[in-house]
């Protein structure tokens, strides 16, 4: 431990905008960060569970074929694996998967795997621009799913020959 010399001036503690010492808030900042992370984790898990329950329910109500459920599972697994591969490549300083490719995988239905990859692998979770684009892909994806379940979306699925009643058990 370093000792202060008698002729070294004492530093005044830094104050925040409210006039209180910043070092007093250091422990609270860590707690707040952990609380935000826990809230973020709960939100992500809730969204993912809601998606898959919604897809199963839409299949049972013959609004979407069960193939949509399977598709989201497969795309999520592929995306999660890509996050794991990219995380390992980042640690080994080798060839990486481009961010645009990870975003395309999310947009094409792999966003649950991307969210789990960010959370579980702690990969691509600190870069704000990446997180914003991921949430944008989630919004676009969920909006398109909602549109497919509308009467116009149902008519489009019928025109495309993806009538969900053909796939119902």
């Amino acid at each position: 431990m370093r000792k202060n010399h008698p002729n070294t001036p004492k530093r005044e503690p830094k104050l925040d905008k409210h006039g209180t010492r910043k070092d007093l808030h250091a422990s609270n900042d860590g707690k707040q960060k952990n609380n935000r992370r826990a809230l973020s984790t709960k939100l992500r898990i809730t969204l993912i569970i809601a998606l898959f329950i919604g897809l199963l329910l839409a299949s049972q109500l013959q609004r979407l074929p069960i193939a949509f459920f399977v598709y989201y599972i497969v795309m999520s697994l592929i995306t999660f694996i890509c996050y794991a591969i990219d995380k390992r490549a980042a640690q080994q300083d080798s060839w990486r998967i481009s961010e645009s490719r990870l975003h395309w995988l999310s947009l094409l239905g792999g966003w649950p795997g991307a969210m789990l990859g960010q959370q579980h692998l702690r990969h691509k979770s600190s870069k704000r621009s990446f997180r914003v684009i991921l949430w944008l892909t989630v919004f676009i994806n969920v909006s398109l799913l909602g549109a497919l379940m509308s009467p116009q979306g149902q008519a489009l699925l019928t025109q495309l020959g993806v009538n969900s009643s053909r796939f119902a058990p």
Side-chain angles (χ1 to χ4, degrees):
M1 193 155 89
R2 217 174 97 179
K3 294 184 179 179
N4 287 336
H5 293 286
N7 52 355
T8 307
K10 268 190 166 179
R11 290 185 192 166
E12 292 295 321
K14 292 184 179 183
L15 303 177
D16 65 8
K17 64 182 178 183
H18 303 292
T20 54
R21 288 176 43 182
K22 283 188 174 183
D23 58 345
L24 295 177
H25 295 295
S27 62
N28 287 340
D29 288 345
K31 289 178 186 175
Q32 287 176 349
K33 199 175 221 180
N34 287 339
N35 287 342
R36 281 191 303 252
R37 187 174 290 135
L39 182 63
S40 174
T41 300
K42 288 178 184 176
L43 175 64
R44 290 167 188 255
I45 298 298
T46 302
L47 278 173
I48 293 167
I49 291 171
L51 169 75
F52 288 114
I53 289 174
L55 288 171
L56 285 174
L57 186 60
S59 173
Q60 289 298 316
L61 296 173
Q62 297 184 354
R63 302 290 262 165
L64 291 173
I66 192 70
F68 275 72
F69 177 81
V70 174
Y71 173 81
Y72 272 88
I73 294 280
V74 170
M75 286 303 296
S76 294
L77 286 171
I78 290 170
T79 305
F80 184 86
I81 290 167
C82 286
Y83 269 69
I85 290 169
D86 192 51
K87 172 76 175 192
R88 177 171 282 181
Q91 291 170 334
Q92 296 175 349
D93 200 29
S94 62
W95 177 84
R96 303 278 307 273
I97 297 172
S98 69
E99 287 186 359
S100 61
R101 185 157 301 182
L102 293 174
H103 286 312
W104 272 108
L105 286 169
S106 297
L107 186 62
L108 294 173
W111 64 264
M115 289 193 156
L116 291 174
Q118 272 191 338
Q119 203 68 36
H120 180 70
L121 303 170
R122 295 235 185 256
H123 188 53
K124 297 288 185 186
S125 59
S126 62
K127 192 173 180 183
R128 184 175 179 83
S129 61
F130 191 90
R131 290 191 327 252
V132 168
I133 293 172
L134 174 62
W135 280 102
L136 184 62
T137 64
V138 172
F139 177 77
I140 291 169
N141 200 277
V142 171
S143 297
L144 288 173
L145 262 178
L148 283 177
M149 288 192 276
S150 72
Q152 295 86 0
Q154 293 295 294
L156 177 65
L157 288 174
T158 301
Q159 283 180 337
L160 293 173
V162 189
N163 188 348
S164 58
S165 62
R166 284 185 9 200
F167 299 100

